[in-house]
Amino acid sequence: MSWALPAVDALAARLLEDRLVDAVLGWARDPDLPWQRYPHRVDEPSRVGELVWDPFCAPGLAKLVFRMTEGGLKLGVLARGCDALGVWRLIHDRRIARENVYLLGLPCPGMADGVRVWEECPEAFDAAGWEDHGSHWVAVPTGIRLPKERFLLDKCLQCQVRWPRQCDEVLAVQGGSWNPFCEDRYRQVRQLEELPLPQRFDFWRGWFERCLRCFACRQVCPACNCESCSLDQFEPNWLEREVGVATQFIFHFTRALHVAGRCVDCGECQRACPVGFPLGALNRKMMKDMEDLFGVREPFVPQESEPLGEFALDDPDEFR
Amino acid sequence: MAVKLVRGSDMLRWLRRCGEGRRWVVPAKEDRHWLFAERDGPVVFPPDYRNATVGPKGWLLPRSEPILYYRWTGGRVSVTPAQGWRPQVIYGVRPCDLKAIALLDSIMASEPWPETQYLTRRAHTVLVGMACTAASSCCFCTSMGVHPAESYAADLMIYPLQGEEYGVAAFSEVGREWLAQLEGEEADAAFSPAVPALSLPMPTSLEDLPGWLERRFDDPGWQRLAWRCLSCGLCAYLCPTCYCYGISDVDRGGAGRRVRWWDACTLPDFSRMAGGHDPRPTTTERVRQRIMHKLAYHPARQGEILCTGCGRCIEYCPMGIHLPAALRLLGGDGR
Amino acid sequence: MEVRPETASGDIKTLRVRLPEEDRFSFRPGQCAMLSVFGVGECMISISSPPTRPEELEFSVKRVGRVTAALHELEPGECIGIRGPYGNGFPVEELRGKGLLVVAGGIGLAPLRSLVNYVVDRREEYGPMRIVYGARTPQDLCFKEEIFRSWPGVPQVEVHLTVDQGDEEWTGPVGLVPSFLEELAPSPEGVVALTCGPPIMIKFVLEALQNLGFDDHQVLTTLELKMQCGIGKCGRCNIGSRYVCVDGPVFSLKELRQMPAEY
Amino acid sequence: MKRVGVFLCWCGSNIAGVVDMDRLQAEVERMPGVVHVEQNKYTCSDPGQESIRRAIREHRLQRVVVAACSPRMHERTFRAMMRTAGLNPYLLEMANLREHCSWVHRDIDEATAKAVDLVRRAVFKVRLARPLQSGKVPITRRALVLGGGIAGIQAALDLADFGIPVVLVESSPSLGGRMAQLDKTFPTLDCSSCILTPKMVEVATHPSIRLLTYSEVESVEGYVGNFKVLVRRKARSVDEQRCTGCGECLSKCPAKVPSEFDLGLGTRGAIYVPFPQAVPNVPVIDRQSCLYFTRGRCRICQRACPAGAIDYQQEDRLESYEVGAIVVATGYDQFDPAAYGEYAYRASPNVITGLEFERLVSSTGPTGGRILTPGGGREPQRVVFIKCVGSRDEQRGASYCSKTCCMYVAKQAILLKEKLPRCEVYVFYMDVRAAGKDYEEFYLRAREMGVQYVRGRVARVFPHGDRLRIRAEDTLIGRRLELEADLVVLASAMVPRPDARQVARKLGIAANQHGFFSEAHPKLRPVETHTAGIFLAGAAQGPKDIPDSVAQAGAAASKAAALLSRQEMETEPVVAEVNEHWCSGCLRCARVCPYNAISEREIRVRTAAGVRTKTVATVNPGLCQGCGACAVACRDGAMNLAGFADQQVLAEVDALCL
Amino acid sequence: MSVREGWRPKIVAFCCNWCSYAGADLAGTSRIPYPASVRIIRVPCSGRVNPVFVVRALQRGADGVLVAGCHPGDCHYSTGNLYARRRLLVTRRLLAYMGIEPERLRLCWVSASEGERFAKVIEEMTAVLEKLGPVQQLREEGPP
């Protein structure tokens, strides 16, 4: 399967020409940093050439769609599985009007850690285009092969939402949700669950000490879309500004609980965190519990209703 | 360059001896990420150490710290100031961060109201710098007039030479005291500093940069840069020169503490006033504020650029907002 | 300490604080201090009493947020934290001998009141003083005792009052401060205008003064921004390269013109 | 800081005997905001309350804490006292030192320490208390009764007798419902229509009842005290004003169709009244089977009508009514035994349901009251009753017991024995449930009259010649038995109306897994629903016999009357409130609200991007009961519960953990 | 872990106004003694209890948190306790996952007529917490 950039451009151009959308949101090359792709917005068909679709489009787009469409802008979104679900999260939370987004689904073979590639094989960035060979990305015409297990972004290593679901249109290439690098989405969760309790706490405390509480995880998260985050409020002071083990615990506990049953597993929080806090291990724990306790299937696919806003008469009652 | 030559192991022993009774803050790698953490002594650096994700800033200006404790009794309140410092050595600090600390020093010491708590902690800190032999992919210190082998705020500077060999030089009283305890003669040594990976597309000389930017205060480029800003505090918290803080009280029923914590001008409510008025309501103003503060306002105030080219914001901003991009956009490049 | 409501609506109260002998500090009109209610927080309030009456400090507080609300709830006898004085204040030395045009709106009179009383106490050192003061309604006028009784009685002091909407008792003029000012048409000759009030009022007053022929350096205004440290360190209250807490709150229109319009 | 006064009650020795009150007072005096503490022997006594009032005056108290017994005991008392002292009642907080402390703990130190915490909790909470005002909602003094069966009739009459205007909506052409189809009623055997008809007439003639038959509720909007109901008056094709009810048209109509009222055992014309005593006694044209409407020719009835009341042009009309309360009495349906193939229902005309049997014995029925087999038209020699058809059988029917079958089977058996003494009657049953006044006796009477009660399930019923063969097992003596009969009566279950769920949706009330409407509380609020102002009566809420239905109807009526007897309704001040500034408008609060009290609305907000409209949640204090579920569902913290606000609970937690 | 002298566990109990608070009252009126470890906060419904309240209590020094509500099906508001059950179940699991002993959070059903039961629950829980000792994980350093 190849990264059909021309096809993407063509689709984007058509959307703009047909006035289906006012703008298209995708990625563009950073002129200063060869490995960097940042979110980019194109308003005229003539400029779709600025868009890029290759193994370095790391940033998630969903959260940006929220603010962009606020003013009623009709937005076409180049959406990988994670982006699409993120947008749907926002739609179901009534933060985005369905009619304001046109989801252009791009089956995603996984994204590479640009800096890593840049450090280890800068010549890869001379490529004109890219092909996906399952276990490798292959640059055309240079033929440079990048092994995925070495270069995949963490979030993509863990990804199980590669296929763009619930899109208005999906770029016609084969591909699927299956990710050979992640047989068991809950592996890390299980490992942690099996640790003895004190060690479990030590594990987290270690991370609490490093978390800067810069809120990058919250700000990139499509599920964290509240008008006013309770963690920012002073009255009531859900979370004190003081940073200590206890407050860090409350911060991460609350965050995890607030996305419980709503997280779309896009892994953006993980990517955004500068110190590598394993936010995924918290989010997926919640997913796992939603599955185990309440039998929610595909806990990462957004629904109108959310598990914690529901109940069943026969919910488990294990409090001893 | 005149330095004392020493083998790595001897150097560590010497440092450890001099640093007796002090807290050692050294770069430590915890899965893929380097951080400055408390350890029982200095360490040898593996070759892959460029610089820490989170610099040593937090050990001088903590993420949050009490500044006073209060206790109500009836209608009266008693207040005791906090004693937040411990003698410490911060070891392995790179020139960009050393320069940043120098900048923080000048800011905190600035009249009419020096920030005593920082200065006290600073006075009890020995900085052992480490010159750069290799650059990380986002470094651009020289573009900001910072040199990868300069000592800046350091008391002692370590220059990795060939193999096991290091050169050490002192730049302060304490530094000289310490160095005196290291046997060995001062000798000349050739040190080849790293060359930063990036050089910024500077639209003008550093001297003219403030003016250049102020002329572009209303440039549409700001909007083109900032629309994708997520309003998190990542850049500010990683930035070695960002020092903005907030103050709030932690109350425990009539007694408690007033704490000072890192704040960031990119966060939405940073400058929102109680009445609701906010001079910097959108990401555009906030991103502009951050960059202007570093490259224009502060130079105008204290004559120095508030960026040392450590490259952290470039490497870690999840949405790829960074200085080069800013300069280019304001330069009028279409994208 | 004593707490006295200023306005009928009770949204503005004046705190009179008696400092222990050893803690007294000297200050200039227009300077501010950080008031703190321990357990709630701190906020920057301008000193509305004149330095010529040092034994007691007065602060007039409008209820807007958490801290100001807490200040409003204080009871006489309770104690608060005060640090200061902060900011530059009005250049009383340079103003010596000049005529003064004081233009204030609502709570904006607070910092200027300090100046007015300072001038009243050293009447001979300054030229004639005109006070133009307005508020939303007659109830919202602050410092009634002074604006209605004491000040008008002082030689060479004129007080002109206006309100946005009057009520049955109100016989004085009705209208917004800027337009009212233009009607009064004070001459700029040897006069320095000092203004303080809500941002929007300031904006139009500055225009009005310009129309009246006031030169940029003849106009002083005070600005307000969110502050936390008060000592130019927390990086919140800057307008361009100037910190309101250290370089301000008083700026001349001349300075203002060199600053970005971010306030 | 708010000025708090704390009043420590000894409750004689009940509290003071275990808690060291002076140590407590010393501690309390140090608590933030507390400006006055005093002890009373009995705070709830008049002098006790007076001393609080005095303290409020003298110390300018803004908040009051009474540390005494359980708030469930005296909160009302002290709130009333607050009002008389000129303070808002909700600025009071109680600390439960008796039930939760002195009565359950012995150790003085432990008890005192705990008392200190409990008082501190109250102090911290009350400092954050805001004065709460209960709102007022006007009430429309009119009730809607849904369903014209005995329950609906009873409810309507009771309400009307309270002097409350009633609108009664019945979907069929006549009042009467199921009861009208019955012949006699257990256990007294008095004739059903004899006791029902007068009530039907009373409804029709009652000045304050507006009777709308052949009508259906289209939609219901609004909330308690202020419902807007849209009613569809189906076209009758007969002018109710003109029609004299002479019946000329009925006999003339050429069409013959099975009568719903007789459950298909008899026939009726295309223009018909369901049954002779129908109220109103005005025919209706069933357009599906009317020749004029189907073929365009006929008009016989029109010619026959001396009053010229026939009006083929008539159309459905929509009428809207404003009511303050709604009584739902839509009744039940009978289970279709077809599910039980082995009982040969439908396969043989001589297998009928209990209700069909009622028509068969009824003097107004198709046979004029003579019991004849629908198949042969012969008098049956032997009749077999099979009970629990569709009841207590989760596989093919419903899990519940239909409650009435045991008794009506007994009744029908007795009627048989009375009319055909020589007829043998067998009843196959699982259990006989005859709980109720004179019920057991009634059942025994049936046995005494020779009715054979056989405990066991019938395996199979199948035609055999012109009779029926029944294969069954007597589980008491464990013997298979086989017998012939002329008539088999299936006591089929009572099930909800097929449209019950739509009705529930229209009204915004809940229905259980079977489709019966759910009451607000199974024990304490049996006739109310979760939607304030909507009440339940009769079998629509669950299987019931006539006495139960009538009783419940009366209860529902008086509940509704109690509500409508006021011009306006005080709304509970402890309700959810929205901070519109923080609200994201996701409305997940609305999803967890059991009372449909939360809806959305658009507001205009000023943002950096300029003025825009946003959706926010809004709470209807008339409906909100203050459970607080929404406040927890809201992640923004925009939804909060007055009186139990987040900041208050957090403060309580802090207070207890100091 | 070292338990300081004379340490007694402290339980913060959220009791719903209609069932459990009344149940606790009944324990009182019928003079059924139970450990003084518990401190009751009255809430309208167990569904009012925000999981953050629980963590807050543990942070501020409570050793255990009890949430008591009407038995399923008896909720005064019909469904509140069922939402509570879900939320707190997840809360409890998350606490355990993040290294806080799950036994510190308990949800139980106590009706207005179950004074005995209330006392028993408190006894059980107190015993459990005495074994666990105070919460070490979230202790915050106070003034010097």
Side-chain angles (χ1 to χ4, degrees), chain B residues 30-51:
Chain B
E30 306 190 12
D31 83 354
R32 302 244 295 326
H33 289 274
W34 286 91
L35 306 142
F36 278 82
E38 178 167 2
R39 292 288 182 269
D40 53 10
V43 292
V44 209
F45 292 102
D48 71 328
Y49 172 68
R50 300 280 179 275
N51 198 356

Side-chain angles (χ1 to χ4, degrees), chain A residues 228-242, chain B residues 246-249 261 263 269, chain C residues 40-41 66 226 228 236, chain D residues 582 647 650, chain E residues 56:
Chain A
S228 145
C229 177
S230 66
L231 300 178
D232 288 342
Q233 294 160 10
F234 275 98
E235 257 174 337
N237 64 334
W238 296 103
L239 176 69
E240 272 145 352
R241 296 299 187 277
E242 189 178 37
Chain B
I247 299 174
S248 63
D249 290 4
W261 30 271
D263 206 340
D269 50 7
Chain C
V40 183
R66 277 166 40 255
K226 181 173 180 179
Q228 294 257 289
R236 218 175 237 74
Chain D
W582 287 351
Q647 49 271 48
L650 287 171
Chain E
R56 173 74 152 241

Side-chain angles (χ1 to χ4, degrees), chain D residues 600-638:
Chain D
E600 63 185 283
R601 75 188 190 94
E602 295 254 299
I603 61 165
R604 302 181 60 65
V605 288
R606 175 172 306 288
T607 66
V611 178
R612 67 178 172 97
T613 65
K614 78 168 185 176
T615 310
V616 295
T618 135
V619 178
N620 180 331
L623 292 178
C624 177
Q625 304 287 312
C627 69
C630 52
V632 184
C634 178
R635 286 182 289 273
D636 308 52

Side-chain angles (χ1 to χ4, degrees), chain C residues 204-215:
Chain C
F204 287 107
V205 166
L206 295 181
E207 282 177 16
L209 291 169
Q210 216 169 353
N211 304 341
L212 294 169
F214 280 78
D215 199 50

Side-chain angles (χ1 to χ4, degrees), chain C residues 70 73-75 78, chain D residues 1-3 60 62:
Chain C
E73 284 189 357
L74 288 170
E75 288 284 328
E78 283 187 90
Chain D
M1 228 179 275
K2 293 274 177 274
R3 300 175 63 84
R60 310 196 328 281
Q62 300 164 301

